[in-house]
Amino acid sequence: LLKIAVIGGGSSYTPEIIEGFIKRANELPVKEIWLVDIKEGEEKLNIVGKLAQRMIEKAKLDTKVFLTLNRREALKDADFVITQFRVGGLEARLRDEEFPLKYGVIGQETTGPGGFAKALRTIPVILDICKDIEELAPRAWLINFTNPAGIITETISKYTKVKTIGLCNVPITMEMTISKLLEVDKKDIFVEFIGLNHLVWGKRVLLRGEDITERIIKTMLDGSQLNMKNIPDLKWDREFVKNLGMIPCPYHRYYYMSDLLLKEQQSSLSQKGKGSRAQQVMEIEKKLFEIYKDENLDEKPKELEKRGGAYYSDAAVSLISAIYNDKKEIHVVNVKNNGTISFLPDDAIIETNCVVGNNGAVPLIFGDVPKEIVGLINQVKIYESLAIEAGVTGDKDKAVMALVNHPLVLSVEKARKLVDELLNINKQYLPQF
Ligand code: NAD
Ligand code: G6P
Ligand code: MN
Ligand code: MN
């Protein structure tokens, strides 16, 4: 019988994960789910935690849901740990999305200087959590959702003994979009994914074995666009995507359309009522927690769909089931490269299709990465690895070096200013600096 610990249990996404466990109760005998949060999140934890308990009760499961601020108690002998926490909360996210704009760089919570600041805040916390896991639950799998997921998963993998797999809902959302466009079941298609977290391309799409990449790109450009709720819906350059011959992920807009996006962000900040994504999410969250308080509510409410986390629970719980039941099933996850992308180090974390069983995730190999995307993958991965070194050591020069290596920054002068500002506005969350 399984014990699951969810760190950041007060998240508004928690009903999503609970729904996932309910749906798969026949394959996952979960005895206990421990929702863990910190003092600042206590109120949210209580509200969403009680909803979680009502959902479980309605499903008539034997699972018990515990709410706690005691992380060690929650982690003790856990089989799976899910991390979905946000250091500094949405206030910190708002700052991440705003400060880069002053320097003419996009503001985003996982990409660019904003994502860098989030990584620096998160690294000390995740290392601390992993120390507890090493001591109290050395056999547990850590499914990391905490962003920037690639960087955080690589930190865990390089600096701790904890077994980890990083997870993002972008690949599964792309698969769902494609199968809906084709009006086929998701299991009839196979998408070869290659790249990094929030920088992943659908390299090839197969429909029952037939390569339909070109066709699907055309359909995609003609009709509904591949996007997610949290990203401005800017239209792709049709010629470019056709010539690329691969499907970009929604986050590629921040690179391939950085100028347009910067303008869009600057104008939505000045537009009353629109605001940055953090501000929108603050509004959505307020409403969600009002809804969650209703003691008659015992299921995941529709309003949660306004968040970017579509299919989050499907991705997470089916992954846990694949490990627990040794399914040797294919999932798209963040995993050690181990030669899959020939030009990256073995210990770099990449996002790709993997065979998942009780040994963890083993990447599939699809051959050479097209040269059109090699530069960007390389550049972003070098930035990520420097960001990890900066986050672990608290070395300011390393932090500047990381941003100089970020393709959206490059300028030394800009990098210094960005680092000065982000260290300043995040001081209370950066004990390592
Ligand atoms: P949120 O702001 O609601 O935070 C979730 C909870 O984390 C809060 O209740 C907060 O109190 C708690 N928390 C903060 N610091 C903590 C700590 N040190 N220990 C334990 N709990 C702590 O955030 P959210 O919108 O639910 O997102 C949570 C995280 O999941 C973020 O990092 C977000 O980027 C990430 N996320 C990732 C994906 C993905 O695709 N990988 C999808 C959705 C969300
Ligand atoms: C997508 C991404 C996540 C990100 C989320 C943001 O799901 O894959 O990594 O956390 O969007 O959504 P939000 O509703 O918080 O803007
Ligand atoms: Mn056990
Ligand atoms: Mn993601």
Side-chain angles (χ1 to χ4, degrees), residues 2-6 14-35 55-56 59 61 63 65 80-82 84 143 312-314 316-321 324:
L2 297 170
K3 175 176 179 181
I4 313 277
V6 182
T14 291
E16 178 79 32
I17 198 86
I18 297 295
E19 186 189 67
F21 283 113
I22 292 172
K23 274 199 213 154
R24 285 185 168 75
N26 59 331
E27 45 187 284
L28 278 177
V30 178
K31 189 167 166 242
E32 300 179 356
I33 299 175
W34 288 72
L35 303 176
M55 289 172 72
I56 295 283
L61 299 184
T63 312
V65 178
F80 290 92
V81 181
I82 301 171
Q84 53 168 34
I143 310 298
Y312 163 44
S313 68
D314 279 318
V317 184
S318 70
L319 179 68
I320 290 174
S321 179
Y324 174 73

mmCIF file of all heavy atoms in Angstrom, residues 2-6 14-35 55-56 59 61 63 65 80-82 84 143 312-314 316-321 324:
data_model
loop_
_atom_site.group_PDB
_atom_site.id
_atom_site.type_symbol
_atom_site.label_atom_id
_atom_site.label_comp_id
_atom_site.label_asym_id
_atom_site.label_seq_id
_atom_site.Cartn_x
_atom_site.Cartn_y
_atom_site.Cartn_z
ATOM 1 N N LEU A 2 0.409 2.237 -0.732
ATOM 2 C CA LEU A 2 1.295 3.362 -1.011
ATOM 3 C C LEU A 2 1.049 4.573 -0.132
ATOM 4 O O LEU A 2 -0.093 4.906 0.201
ATOM 5 C CB LEU A 2 1.126 3.795 -2.468
ATOM 6 C CG LEU A 2 1.516 2.754 -3.512
ATOM 7 C CD1 LEU A 2 1.079 3.200 -4.897
ATOM 8 C CD2 LEU A 2 3.023 2.539 -3.486
ATOM 9 N N LYS A 3 2.145 5.249 0.184
ATOM 10 C CA LYS A 3 2.065 6.548 0.848
ATOM 11 C C LYS A 3 2.596 7.601 -0.129
ATOM 12 O O LYS A 3 3.697 7.469 -0.652
ATOM 13 C CB LYS A 3 2.900 6.547 2.132
ATOM 14 C CG LYS A 3 2.951 7.930 2.797
ATOM 15 C CD LYS A 3 3.716 7.903 4.126
ATOM 16 C CE LYS A 3 3.755 9.316 4.729
ATOM 17 N NZ LYS A 3 4.492 9.362 6.009
ATOM 18 N N ILE A 4 1.772 8.609 -0.356
ATOM 19 C CA ILE A 4 2.137 9.678 -1.286
ATOM 20 C C ILE A 4 2.290 10.976 -0.502
ATOM 21 O O ILE A 4 1.428 11.296 0.329
ATOM 22 C CB ILE A 4 1.007 9.914 -2.334
ATOM 23 C CG1 ILE A 4 0.509 8.600 -2.936
ATOM 24 C CG2 ILE A 4 1.418 10.952 -3.379
ATOM 25 C CD1 ILE A 4 1.294 8.032 -4.063
ATOM 26 N N ALA A 5 3.361 11.718 -0.763
ATOM 27 C CA ALA A 5 3.512 13.040 -0.144
ATOM 28 C C ALA A 5 3.500 14.097 -1.234
ATOM 29 O O ALA A 5 4.201 13.965 -2.237
ATOM 30 C CB ALA A 5 4.819 13.103 0.649
ATOM 31 N N VAL A 6 2.670 15.110 -1.052
ATOM 32 C CA VAL A 6 2.586 16.190 -2.038
ATOM 33 C C VAL A 6 3.112 17.467 -1.390
ATOM 34 O O VAL A 6 2.499 17.992 -0.449
ATOM 35 C CB VAL A 6 1.128 16.408 -2.508
ATOM 36 C CG1 VAL A 6 1.072 17.514 -3.568
ATOM 37 C CG2 VAL A 6 0.537 15.109 -3.070
ATOM 38 N N THR A 14 -4.278 20.998 -6.478
ATOM 39 C CA THR A 14 -4.421 19.743 -5.724
ATOM 40 C C THR A 14 -5.665 18.915 -6.099
ATOM 41 O O THR A 14 -5.557 17.694 -6.230
ATOM 42 C CB THR A 14 -4.307 20.020 -4.206
ATOM 43 O OG1 THR A 14 -2.946 20.383 -3.950
ATOM 44 C CG2 THR A 14 -4.671 18.818 -3.369
ATOM 45 N N PRO A 15 -6.844 19.517 -6.337
ATOM 46 C CA PRO A 15 -7.996 18.696 -6.742
ATOM 47 C C PRO A 15 -7.724 17.913 -8.030
ATOM 48 O O PRO A 15 -8.263 16.824 -8.244
ATOM 49 C CB PRO A 15 -9.111 19.726 -6.982
ATOM 50 C CG PRO A 15 -8.704 20.918 -6.195
ATOM 51 C CD PRO A 15 -7.208 20.942 -6.202
ATOM 52 N N GLU A 16 -6.888 18.477 -8.867
ATOM 53 C CA GLU A 16 -6.485 17.826 -10.115
ATOM 54 C C GLU A 16 -5.746 16.507 -9.801
ATOM 55 O O GLU A 16 -6.082 15.452 -10.321
ATOM 56 C CB GLU A 16 -5.591 18.823 -10.860
ATOM 57 C CG GLU A 16 -4.994 18.390 -12.160
ATOM 58 C CD GLU A 16 -5.955 18.455 -13.338
ATOM 59 O OE1 GLU A 16 -6.834 19.329 -13.364
ATOM 60 O OE2 GLU A 16 -5.802 17.608 -14.228
ATOM 61 N N ILE A 17 -4.775 16.599 -8.908
ATOM 62 C CA ILE A 17 -3.985 15.403 -8.591
ATOM 63 C C ILE A 17 -4.847 14.372 -7.852
ATOM 64 O O ILE A 17 -4.739 13.172 -8.067
ATOM 65 C CB ILE A 17 -2.699 15.791 -7.808
ATOM 66 C CG1 ILE A 17 -1.676 14.672 -7.862
ATOM 67 C CG2 ILE A 17 -2.932 16.146 -6.372
ATOM 68 C CD1 ILE A 17 -0.824 14.740 -9.058
ATOM 69 N N ILE A 18 -5.749 14.851 -7.016
ATOM 70 C CA ILE A 18 -6.638 13.934 -6.285
ATOM 71 C C ILE A 18 -7.545 13.205 -7.284
ATOM 72 O O ILE A 18 -7.749 11.991 -7.200
ATOM 73 C CB ILE A 18 -7.484 14.714 -5.243
ATOM 74 C CG1 ILE A 18 -6.578 15.350 -4.181
ATOM 75 C CG2 ILE A 18 -8.539 13.807 -4.596
ATOM 76 C CD1 ILE A 18 -5.825 14.372 -3.301
ATOM 77 N N GLU A 19 -8.055 13.958 -8.251
ATOM 78 C CA GLU A 19 -8.884 13.326 -9.289
ATOM 79 C C GLU A 19 -8.104 12.220 -10.017
ATOM 80 O O GLU A 19 -8.632 11.150 -10.309
ATOM 81 C CB GLU A 19 -9.365 14.373 -10.297
ATOM 82 C CG GLU A 19 -10.342 13.819 -11.300
ATOM 83 C CD GLU A 19 -10.638 14.811 -12.428
ATOM 84 O OE1 GLU A 19 -9.727 15.113 -13.222
ATOM 85 O OE2 GLU A 19 -11.776 15.284 -12.495
ATOM 86 N N GLY A 20 -6.833 12.504 -10.264
ATOM 87 C CA GLY A 20 -5.974 11.498 -10.920
ATOM 88 C C GLY A 20 -5.895 10.216 -10.120
ATOM 89 O O GLY A 20 -5.996 9.113 -10.670
ATOM 90 N N PHE A 21 -5.711 10.343 -8.799
ATOM 91 C CA PHE A 21 -5.629 9.134 -7.961
ATOM 92 C C PHE A 21 -6.977 8.410 -7.898
ATOM 93 O O PHE A 21 -7.026 7.186 -7.846
ATOM 94 C CB PHE A 21 -5.130 9.486 -6.553
ATOM 95 C CG PHE A 21 -3.645 9.730 -6.503
ATOM 96 C CD1 PHE A 21 -3.131 10.991 -6.231
ATOM 97 C CD2 PHE A 21 -2.757 8.689 -6.770
ATOM 98 C CE1 PHE A 21 -1.758 11.217 -6.205
ATOM 99 C CE2 PHE A 21 -1.381 8.905 -6.758
ATOM 100 C CZ PHE A 21 -0.883 10.176 -6.467
ATOM 101 N N ILE A 22 -8.055 9.174 -7.911
ATOM 102 C CA ILE A 22 -9.378 8.539 -7.884
ATOM 103 C C ILE A 22 -9.604 7.736 -9.164
ATOM 104 O O ILE A 22 -10.037 6.582 -9.132
ATOM 105 C CB ILE A 22 -10.482 9.610 -7.684
ATOM 106 C CG1 ILE A 22 -10.369 10.198 -6.269
ATOM 107 C CG2 ILE A 22 -11.877 9.019 -7.918
ATOM 108 C CD1 ILE A 22 -11.282 11.390 -6.006
ATOM 109 N N LYS A 23 -9.262 8.359 -10.303
ATOM 110 C CA LYS A 23 -9.459 7.680 -11.593
ATOM 111 C C LYS A 23 -8.665 6.380 -11.698
ATOM 112 O O LYS A 23 -9.072 5.460 -12.376
ATOM 113 C CB LYS A 23 -8.989 8.597 -12.738
ATOM 114 C CG LYS A 23 -10.033 9.575 -13.243
ATOM 115 C CD LYS A 23 -9.585 10.038 -14.641
ATOM 116 C CE LYS A 23 -9.993 11.465 -14.912
ATOM 117 N NZ LYS A 23 -9.106 12.119 -15.897
ATOM 118 N N ARG A 24 -7.494 6.359 -11.072
ATOM 119 C CA ARG A 24 -6.633 5.185 -11.200
ATOM 120 C C ARG A 24 -6.587 4.344 -9.930
ATOM 121 O O ARG A 24 -5.633 3.600 -9.707
ATOM 122 C CB ARG A 24 -5.234 5.621 -11.617
ATOM 123 C CG ARG A 24 -5.174 6.011 -13.081
ATOM 124 C CD ARG A 24 -3.771 6.340 -13.539
ATOM 125 N NE ARG A 24 -3.716 6.436 -14.990
ATOM 126 C CZ ARG A 24 -4.193 7.477 -15.682
ATOM 127 N NH1 ARG A 24 -4.769 8.473 -15.065
ATOM 128 N NH2 ARG A 24 -4.098 7.480 -17.013
ATOM 129 N N ALA A 25 -7.611 4.456 -9.108
ATOM 130 C CA ALA A 25 -7.614 3.734 -7.832
ATOM 131 C C ALA A 25 -7.497 2.227 -8.033
ATOM 132 O O ALA A 25 -6.929 1.520 -7.202
ATOM 133 C CB ALA A 25 -8.887 4.069 -7.056
ATOM 134 N N ASN A 26 -7.991 1.729 -9.164
ATOM 135 C CA ASN A 26 -7.931 0.278 -9.399
ATOM 136 C C ASN A 26 -6.515 -0.222 -9.670
ATOM 137 O O ASN A 26 -6.231 -1.401 -9.513
ATOM 138 C CB ASN A 26 -8.876 -0.121 -10.538
ATOM 139 C CG ASN A 26 -8.513 0.602 -11.830
ATOM 140 O OD1 ASN A 26 -7.979 1.719 -11.786
ATOM 141 N ND2 ASN A 26 -8.773 -0.028 -12.963
ATOM 142 N N GLU A 27 -5.616 0.668 -10.104
ATOM 143 C CA GLU A 27 -4.241 0.219 -10.346
ATOM 144 C C GLU A 27 -3.232 0.737 -9.319
ATOM 145 O O GLU A 27 -2.088 0.299 -9.304
ATOM 146 C CB GLU A 27 -3.787 0.578 -11.770
ATOM 147 C CG GLU A 27 -4.120 1.988 -12.208
ATOM 148 C CD GLU A 27 -3.796 2.247 -13.679
ATOM 149 O OE1 GLU A 27 -2.603 2.404 -13.971
ATOM 150 O OE2 GLU A 27 -4.735 2.274 -14.516
ATOM 151 N N LEU A 28 -3.670 1.677 -8.484
ATOM 152 C CA LEU A 28 -2.756 2.238 -7.479
ATOM 153 C C LEU A 28 -3.384 2.181 -6.092
ATOM 154 O O LEU A 28 -4.234 3.006 -5.752
ATOM 155 C CB LEU A 28 -2.432 3.703 -7.804
ATOM 156 C CG LEU A 28 -1.356 4.007 -8.820
ATOM 157 C CD1 LEU A 28 -1.271 5.506 -9.035
ATOM 158 C CD2 LEU A 28 0.006 3.465 -8.388
ATOM 159 N N PRO A 29 -2.960 1.228 -5.277
ATOM 160 C CA PRO A 29 -3.545 1.103 -3.938
ATOM 161 C C PRO A 29 -2.966 2.134 -2.977
ATOM 162 O O PRO A 29 -2.059 1.854 -2.205
ATOM 163 C CB PRO A 29 -3.149 -0.311 -3.525
ATOM 164 C CG PRO A 29 -1.870 -0.573 -4.260
ATOM 165 C CD PRO A 29 -1.927 0.206 -5.531
ATOM 166 N N VAL A 30 -3.504 3.346 -3.042
ATOM 167 C CA VAL A 30 -2.969 4.415 -2.204
ATOM 168 C C VAL A 30 -3.632 4.388 -0.832
ATOM 169 O O VAL A 30 -4.851 4.491 -0.720
ATOM 170 C CB VAL A 30 -3.189 5.794 -2.858
ATOM 171 C CG1 VAL A 30 -2.663 6.896 -1.947
ATOM 172 C CG2 VAL A 30 -2.504 5.847 -4.213
ATOM 173 N N LYS A 31 -2.811 4.243 0.203
ATOM 174 C CA LYS A 31 -3.347 4.196 1.559
ATOM 175 C C LYS A 31 -3.416 5.600 2.146
ATOM 176 O O LYS A 31 -4.391 5.973 2.783
ATOM 177 C CB LYS A 31 -2.445 3.307 2.408
ATOM 178 C CG LYS A 31 -3.008 2.992 3.768
ATOM 179 C CD LYS A 31 -2.219 1.853 4.425
ATOM 180 C CE LYS A 31 -2.548 1.767 5.889
ATOM 181 N NZ LYS A 31 -1.368 1.995 6.742
ATOM 182 N N GLU A 32 -2.343 6.373 1.892
ATOM 183 C CA GLU A 32 -2.283 7.710 2.499
ATOM 184 C C GLU A 32 -1.777 8.739 1.504
ATOM 185 O O GLU A 32 -0.813 8.483 0.772
ATOM 186 C CB GLU A 32 -1.326 7.697 3.702
ATOM 187 C CG GLU A 32 -1.751 6.732 4.788
ATOM 188 C CD GLU A 32 -0.774 6.711 5.964
ATOM 189 O OE1 GLU A 32 0.274 7.402 5.897
ATOM 190 O OE2 GLU A 32 -1.063 5.996 6.931
ATOM 191 N N ILE A 33 -2.440 9.894 1.498
ATOM 192 C CA ILE A 33 -1.919 11.040 0.758
ATOM 193 C C ILE A 33 -1.663 12.137 1.772
ATOM 194 O O ILE A 33 -2.578 12.551 2.495
ATOM 195 C CB ILE A 33 -2.923 11.540 -0.314
ATOM 196 C CG1 ILE A 33 -3.213 10.440 -1.338
ATOM 197 C CG2 ILE A 33 -2.380 12.795 -1.016
ATOM 198 C CD1 ILE A 33 -4.301 10.821 -2.361
ATOM 199 N N TRP A 34 -0.435 12.598 1.850
ATOM 200 C CA TRP A 34 -0.073 13.663 2.788
ATOM 201 C C TRP A 34 0.138 14.953 2.014
ATOM 202 O O TRP A 34 1.029 15.038 1.175
ATOM 203 C CB TRP A 34 1.206 13.290 3.542
ATOM 204 C CG TRP A 34 0.979 12.199 4.556
ATOM 205 C CD1 TRP A 34 0.738 10.880 4.304
ATOM 206 C CD2 TRP A 34 0.968 12.352 5.970
ATOM 207 N NE1 TRP A 34 0.573 10.193 5.485
ATOM 208 C CE2 TRP A 34 0.715 11.074 6.524
ATOM 209 C CE3 TRP A 34 1.151 13.434 6.837
ATOM 210 C CZ2 TRP A 34 0.629 10.857 7.906
ATOM 211 C CZ3 TRP A 34 1.080 13.218 8.210
ATOM 212 C CH2 TRP A 34 0.815 11.940 8.736
ATOM 213 N N LEU A 35 -0.694 15.933 2.288
ATOM 214 C CA LEU A 35 -0.547 17.249 1.660
ATOM 215 C C LEU A 35 0.250 18.139 2.611
ATOM 216 O O LEU A 35 -0.188 18.390 3.734
ATOM 217 C CB LEU A 35 -1.922 17.859 1.372
ATOM 218 C CG LEU A 35 -2.879 17.027 0.497
ATOM 219 C CD1 LEU A 35 -4.230 17.716 0.368
ATOM 220 C CD2 LEU A 35 -2.274 16.792 -0.886
ATOM 221 N N MET A 55 -13.620 14.773 -1.892
ATOM 222 C CA MET A 55 -13.538 14.046 -3.171
ATOM 223 C C MET A 55 -13.275 12.554 -2.938
ATOM 224 O O MET A 55 -13.889 11.692 -3.561
ATOM 225 C CB MET A 55 -12.418 14.633 -4.057
ATOM 226 C CG MET A 55 -12.725 16.009 -4.621
ATOM 227 S SD MET A 55 -11.300 16.773 -5.463
ATOM 228 C CE MET A 55 -11.211 15.771 -6.963
ATOM 229 N N ILE A 56 -12.349 12.270 -2.027
ATOM 230 C CA ILE A 56 -11.999 10.878 -1.718
ATOM 231 C C ILE A 56 -13.199 10.153 -1.092
ATOM 232 O O ILE A 56 -13.497 9.001 -1.401
ATOM 233 C CB ILE A 56 -10.781 10.830 -0.761
ATOM 234 C CG1 ILE A 56 -9.528 11.387 -1.457
ATOM 235 C CG2 ILE A 56 -10.557 9.432 -0.215
ATOM 236 C CD1 ILE A 56 -8.863 10.469 -2.445
ATOM 237 N N ALA A 59 -15.747 9.237 -3.630
ATOM 238 C CA ALA A 59 -15.305 8.099 -4.446
ATOM 239 C C ALA A 59 -15.288 6.798 -3.652
ATOM 240 O O ALA A 59 -14.992 5.736 -4.205
ATOM 241 C CB ALA A 59 -13.924 8.390 -5.025
ATOM 242 N N LEU A 61 -13.212 5.665 -1.414
ATOM 243 C CA LEU A 61 -11.908 4.998 -1.366
ATOM 244 C C LEU A 61 -11.443 4.856 0.081
ATOM 245 O O LEU A 61 -11.858 5.616 0.953
ATOM 246 C CB LEU A 61 -10.869 5.805 -2.143
ATOM 247 C CG LEU A 61 -11.124 6.018 -3.629
ATOM 248 C CD1 LEU A 61 -9.954 6.747 -4.263
ATOM 249 C CD2 LEU A 61 -11.358 4.685 -4.326
ATOM 250 N N THR A 63 -8.496 5.475 0.895
ATOM 251 C CA THR A 63 -7.369 6.407 1.040
ATOM 252 C C THR A 63 -7.660 7.445 2.118
ATOM 253 O O THR A 63 -8.775 7.955 2.215
ATOM 254 C CB THR A 63 -7.151 7.142 -0.294
ATOM 255 O OG1 THR A 63 -7.146 6.181 -1.335
ATOM 256 C CG2 THR A 63 -5.867 7.930 -0.289
ATOM 257 N N VAL A 65 -6.547 11.204 3.551
ATOM 258 C CA VAL A 65 -5.818 12.430 3.192
ATOM 259 C C VAL A 65 -5.437 13.186 4.460
ATOM 260 O O VAL A 65 -6.304 13.544 5.256
ATOM 261 C CB VAL A 65 -6.672 13.338 2.283
ATOM 262 C CG1 VAL A 65 -5.934 14.632 1.962
ATOM 263 C CG2 VAL A 65 -7.059 12.606 0.998
ATOM 264 N N PHE A 80 6.056 7.742 -2.990
ATOM 265 C CA PHE A 80 6.176 8.750 -4.046
ATOM 266 C C PHE A 80 6.035 10.138 -3.425
ATOM 267 O O PHE A 80 5.165 10.351 -2.582
ATOM 268 C CB PHE A 80 5.095 8.563 -5.117
ATOM 269 C CG PHE A 80 5.310 7.333 -5.954
ATOM 270 C CD1 PHE A 80 4.724 6.121 -5.591
ATOM 271 C CD2 PHE A 80 6.116 7.386 -7.084
ATOM 272 C CE1 PHE A 80 4.936 4.977 -6.352
ATOM 273 C CE2 PHE A 80 6.337 6.249 -7.853
ATOM 274 C CZ PHE A 80 5.739 5.039 -7.486
ATOM 275 N N VAL A 81 6.895 11.029 -3.873
ATOM 276 C CA VAL A 81 6.815 12.420 -3.438
ATOM 277 C C VAL A 81 6.563 13.253 -4.686
ATOM 278 O O VAL A 81 7.248 13.085 -5.702
ATOM 279 C CB VAL A 81 8.135 12.882 -2.776
ATOM 280 C CG1 VAL A 81 8.031 14.323 -2.305
ATOM 281 C CG2 VAL A 81 8.516 11.948 -1.621
ATOM 282 N N ILE A 82 5.558 14.114 -4.614
ATOM 283 C CA ILE A 82 5.275 15.015 -5.733
ATOM 284 C C ILE A 82 5.589 16.430 -5.264
ATOM 285 O O ILE A 82 5.095 16.852 -4.222
ATOM 286 C CB ILE A 82 3.788 14.913 -6.159
ATOM 287 C CG1 ILE A 82 3.448 13.485 -6.573
ATOM 288 C CG2 ILE A 82 3.481 15.885 -7.299
ATOM 289 C CD1 ILE A 82 1.956 13.250 -6.794
ATOM 290 N N GLN A 84 5.171 20.345 -5.939
ATOM 291 C CA GLN A 84 4.427 21.358 -6.692
ATOM 292 C C GLN A 84 4.350 22.645 -5.868
ATOM 293 O O GLN A 84 3.298 23.192 -5.646
ATOM 294 C CB GLN A 84 3.023 20.857 -7.057
ATOM 295 C CG GLN A 84 2.224 20.356 -5.855
ATOM 296 C CD GLN A 84 0.751 20.122 -6.138
ATOM 297 O OE1 GLN A 84 0.373 19.717 -7.224
ATOM 298 N NE2 GLN A 84 -0.094 20.393 -5.150
ATOM 299 N N ILE A 143 8.623 12.874 -8.043
ATOM 300 C CA ILE A 143 8.096 13.359 -9.318
ATOM 301 C C ILE A 143 8.093 14.885 -9.214
ATOM 302 O O ILE A 143 7.297 15.462 -8.472
ATOM 303 C CB ILE A 143 6.656 12.836 -9.561
ATOM 304 C CG1 ILE A 143 6.573 11.314 -9.347
ATOM 305 C CG2 ILE A 143 6.168 13.243 -10.953
ATOM 306 C CD1 ILE A 143 7.424 10.477 -10.269
ATOM 307 N N TYR A 312 -2.549 17.819 -16.084
ATOM 308 C CA TYR A 312 -1.516 17.655 -15.055
ATOM 309 C C TYR A 312 -1.666 16.316 -14.339
ATOM 310 O O TYR A 312 -0.714 15.541 -14.204
ATOM 311 C CB TYR A 312 -1.608 18.849 -14.097
ATOM 312 C CG TYR A 312 -0.929 18.705 -12.763
ATOM 313 C CD1 TYR A 312 0.341 18.153 -12.668
ATOM 314 C CD2 TYR A 312 -1.537 19.134 -11.595
ATOM 315 C CE1 TYR A 312 0.968 18.030 -11.449
ATOM 316 C CE2 TYR A 312 -0.919 19.024 -10.367
ATOM 317 C CZ TYR A 312 0.333 18.464 -10.303
ATOM 318 O OH TYR A 312 0.944 18.343 -9.092
ATOM 319 N N SER A 313 -2.898 16.007 -13.890
ATOM 320 C CA SER A 313 -3.064 14.780 -13.097
ATOM 321 C C SER A 313 -2.901 13.529 -13.937
ATOM 322 O O SER A 313 -2.352 12.534 -13.482
ATOM 323 C CB SER A 313 -4.427 14.773 -12.420
ATOM 324 O OG SER A 313 -5.449 14.651 -13.374
ATOM 325 N N ASP A 314 -3.361 13.600 -15.188
ATOM 326 C CA ASP A 314 -3.167 12.434 -16.053
ATOM 327 C C ASP A 314 -1.686 12.130 -16.204
ATOM 328 O O ASP A 314 -1.254 10.983 -16.109
ATOM 329 C CB ASP A 314 -3.765 12.693 -17.445
ATOM 330 C CG ASP A 314 -5.271 12.457 -17.447
ATOM 331 O OD1 ASP A 314 -5.706 11.470 -16.831
ATOM 332 O OD2 ASP A 314 -5.994 13.274 -18.037
ATOM 333 N N ALA A 316 0.818 13.023 -14.201
ATOM 334 C CA ALA A 316 1.497 12.621 -12.960
ATOM 335 C C ALA A 316 1.083 11.234 -12.484
ATOM 336 O O ALA A 316 1.928 10.386 -12.199
ATOM 337 C CB ALA A 316 1.230 13.651 -11.864
ATOM 338 N N VAL A 317 -0.219 10.993 -12.424
ATOM 339 C CA VAL A 317 -0.660 9.735 -11.825
ATOM 340 C C VAL A 317 -0.407 8.556 -12.771
ATOM 341 O O VAL A 317 -0.054 7.461 -12.334
ATOM 342 C CB VAL A 317 -2.126 9.818 -11.349
ATOM 343 C CG1 VAL A 317 -2.536 8.532 -10.651
ATOM 344 C CG2 VAL A 317 -2.306 10.999 -10.395
ATOM 345 N N SER A 318 -0.532 8.780 -14.079
ATOM 346 C CA SER A 318 -0.223 7.664 -14.983
ATOM 347 C C SER A 318 1.277 7.343 -14.947
ATOM 348 O O SER A 318 1.679 6.190 -15.079
ATOM 349 C CB SER A 318 -0.699 7.949 -16.414
ATOM 350 O OG SER A 318 0.076 8.954 -17.007
ATOM 351 N N LEU A 319 2.087 8.357 -14.715
ATOM 352 C CA LEU A 319 3.531 8.109 -14.573
ATOM 353 C C LEU A 319 3.814 7.284 -13.317
ATOM 354 O O LEU A 319 4.577 6.310 -13.347
ATOM 355 C CB LEU A 319 4.278 9.455 -14.513
ATOM 356 C CG LEU A 319 5.789 9.363 -14.334
ATOM 357 C CD1 LEU A 319 6.453 8.766 -15.572
ATOM 358 C CD2 LEU A 319 6.390 10.729 -14.033
ATOM 359 N N ILE A 320 3.190 7.656 -12.219
ATOM 360 C CA ILE A 320 3.379 6.917 -10.966
ATOM 361 C C ILE A 320 2.920 5.469 -11.134
ATOM 362 O O ILE A 320 3.585 4.528 -10.701
ATOM 363 C CB ILE A 320 2.619 7.628 -9.816
ATOM 364 C CG1 ILE A 320 3.334 8.943 -9.486
ATOM 365 C CG2 ILE A 320 2.503 6.731 -8.586
ATOM 366 C CD1 ILE A 320 2.623 9.814 -8.462
ATOM 367 N N SER A 321 1.799 5.298 -11.824
ATOM 368 C CA SER A 321 1.299 3.946 -12.051
ATOM 369 C C SER A 321 2.255 3.132 -12.936
ATOM 370 O O SER A 321 2.457 1.942 -12.713
ATOM 371 C CB SER A 321 -0.095 4.000 -12.679
ATOM 372 O OG SER A 321 -0.568 2.706 -12.930
ATOM 373 N N TYR A 324 5.054 2.109 -10.541
ATOM 374 C CA TYR A 324 4.605 1.164 -9.514
ATOM 375 C C TYR A 324 4.253 -0.194 -10.127
ATOM 376 O O TYR A 324 4.609 -1.243 -9.596
ATOM 377 C CB TYR A 324 3.401 1.744 -8.766
ATOM 378 C CG TYR A 324 2.796 0.775 -7.789
ATOM 379 C CD1 TYR A 324 3.451 0.464 -6.595
ATOM 380 C CD2 TYR A 324 1.568 0.163 -8.055
ATOM 381 C CE1 TYR A 324 2.910 -0.434 -5.701
ATOM 382 C CE2 TYR A 324 1.017 -0.742 -7.163
ATOM 383 C CZ TYR A 324 1.690 -1.042 -5.985
ATOM 384 O OH TYR A 324 1.147 -1.930 -5.112
#
